[in-house]
Amino acid sequence: MRVWHNARLLGPRTQIGSGVIAADGERIAYAGPAADAPKFPKAERIDCGGRWITPGLIDCHTHLVHAGNRAREFEMRLAGATYEEIARAGGGIVSTVRATREASEGELVDAALPRLDALLAEGATTVEIKSGYGLSLDAELNQLHAARELGARRKVNIVTTFLGAHGLPPEATDKDAYIDEVCEIMIPAVAKLADAVDGFAESIAFSPEQIARVFDAAKAHGLRVKLHADQLTDGGGAALAARYNALSADHLEHTGEAGIAAMAKAGTVAVLLPGAYYFLRETKLPPVELLRKHGVPIAIATDCNPGTAPLTSLLLAMNMAATCFRLTVEECLAGVTANAARALGRDDIGVFASGKRCDLAIWDIEQPAELVYRMGFNPLHSRVFGGEDA
């Protein structure tokens, strides 16, 4: 038994000025006011010195495993190059697919570890990792194996997502034929490696009808689904996600009220990705007021990827969500804890409650708003993973 005392507890809808958390092994045995806490006479006691404790942070949307980077494209865009010009020069997603296919599993792990370590250093204890830069069975499997290996190398929960329907591979010309391959060959092969299946429903990627086929195949293999939805146009992605009771619909800048109402009815979480919004200099804000109106849970994630969000800071993602999208401090915190857990289909993390995993982040801050207010400053004091120091 371990007990963290002389602490202030900060969770979704929870602020306790004098609190205690006790863990029996990996699980929380008590979390609440010090005045109501049992004695725990034989426990190891950790004096937190009045620091704030939150649940361990959760990054519920990343593309952390990939090879190479696209810094040169960034430089080209700054000089005025268009997307088409960059693509003709061998850039875009094709360049990442090429680099990822050429990398071994070990090379992918080595490349991803610094990105993962940056997230852990800011209090993350759970990270979702998508495939989607292989776009062939062997390369997609390689990404998913690398993601699992990251979880073996570090004290972190890794949640894996198969994103074979991310785009058309460079050697293919027929989208329907490629979706056949995703459904009939890839999903059966990755079913034991992936926790969920994602897709990209957009004019530059796949149609709602094609993604529906992917989701049908996922369901047939017992896999939950989620969706990159309505990032560039309102193509009905949110409604499609809701129709399949998706865990989450992500991006959502162009989603209309009908799609949001459908998400609310289905219990689908809205995952907002302010890093991509910032990096792409978008001007269309996600419909935050409509999400609030319909009671859709809002999560926040980094969307860490080489092309549109090379971001490895959940703290900065929270600041961006508050500054760009006008989310409150409480919404930002819930967005990287309880609601992020819900976006992953996990009910054992992200909150202070008996029986849940004891994944904690302990902070050197005076007030909760500092976690969202500061930019480029990391106030993490220590991290706890499964009741043990991490």
Side-chain angles (χ1 to χ4, degrees), residues 261-274:
M263 288 174 61
K265 186 175 181 180
T268 297
V269 176
V271 178
L272 303 186
L273 304 170

Side-chain angles (χ1 to χ4, degrees), residues 6 41 72 125 142-143 163 196 208 213 226 241 263 299 303 336-337:
N6 189 16
R72 174 57 182 154
T125 52
N142 217 28
Q143 281 192 274
L163 182 55
R213 291 167 54 201
K226 55 184 68 178
M263 288 174 61
D303 191 19
V336 297
T337 55

Side-chain angles (χ1 to χ4, degrees), residues 205-292:
F206 299 103
S207 69
E209 293 75 21
Q210 289 165 333
I211 295 298
R213 291 167 54 201
V214 173
F215 284 179
D216 286 335
K219 294 284 189 177
H221 286 83
L223 293 168
R224 300 292 301 272
V225 300
K226 55 184 68 178
L227 186 63
H228 287 62
D230 303 335
Q231 180 184 10
L232 306 174
T233 61
D234 186 359
L240 172 66
R243 191 165 85 237
Y244 281 86
N245 295 307
L247 292 168
S248 69
D250 304 27
H251 285 292
L252 300 175
E253 283 87 341
H254 290 264
T255 301
E257 188 162 9
I260 290 171
M263 288 174 61
K265 186 175 181 180
T268 297
V269 176
V271 178
L272 303 186
L273 304 170
Y277 176 90
Y278 166 85
F279 194 80
L280 294 172
R281 295 190 293 181
E282 294 285 0
T283 57
K284 176 69 172 174
L285 289 164
V288 170
E289 287 301 327
L290 288 175
L291 294 170
R292 289 169 174 156

Side-chain angles (χ1 to χ4, degrees), residues 125-338:
T125 52
T126 298
V127 178
E128 186 257 18
I129 300 176
K130 304 179 191 296
S131 65
Y133 287 124
L135 306 185
S136 70
L137 177 58
D138 288 346
E140 290 288 305
L141 285 169
N142 217 28
Q143 281 192 274
L144 292 170
H145 280 297
R148 291 292 189 195
E149 178 62 20
L150 290 172
R153 298 273 190 99
R154 295 292 188 267
K155 292 182 178 181
V156 61
N157 300 303
I158 295 294
V159 178
T160 53
T161 300
F162 170 65
L163 182 55
H166 192 195
L168 193 64
E171 68 275 7
T173 57
D174 187 329
K175 287 186 178 182
D176 283 320
Y178 177 65
I179 291 296
D180 287 341
E181 182 180 350
V182 169
C183 295
E184 297 168 13
I185 298 174
M186 294 190 190
I187 287 178
V190 306
K192 292 183 179 179
L193 269 178
D195 298 305
V197 170
D198 200 343
F200 189 14
E202 193 53 78
S203 56
I204 63 170
F206 299 103
S207 69
E209 293 75 21
Q210 289 165 333
I211 295 298
R213 291 167 54 201
V214 173
F215 284 179
D216 286 335
K219 294 284 189 177
H221 286 83
L223 293 168
R224 300 292 301 272
V225 300
K226 55 184 68 178
L227 186 63
H228 287 62
D230 303 335
Q231 180 184 10
L232 306 174
T233 61
D234 186 359
L240 172 66
R243 191 165 85 237
Y244 281 86
N245 295 307
L247 292 168
S248 69
D250 304 27
H251 285 292
L252 300 175
E253 283 87 341
H254 290 264
T255 301
E257 188 162 9
I260 290 171
M263 288 174 61
K265 186 175 181 180
T268 297
V269 176
V271 178
L272 303 186
L273 304 170
Y277 176 90
Y278 166 85
F279 194 80
L280 294 172
R281 295 190 293 181
E282 294 285 0
T283 57
K284 176 69 172 174
L285 289 164
V288 170
E289 287 301 327
L290 288 175
L291 294 170
R292 289 169 174 156
K293 171 184 173 182
H294 288 275
V296 176
I298 298 172
I300 301 165
T302 63
D303 191 19
C304 175
N305 76 77
T308 62
L311 175 64
T312 53
S313 170
L314 271 174
L315 296 179
L316 184 54
M318 283 197 285
N319 177 273
M320 290 176 171
T323 303
C324 297
F325 301 162
R326 310 311 294 169
L327 265 61
T328 67
V329 169
E330 183 177 353
E331 286 172 329
C332 288
L333 179 63
V336 297
T337 55

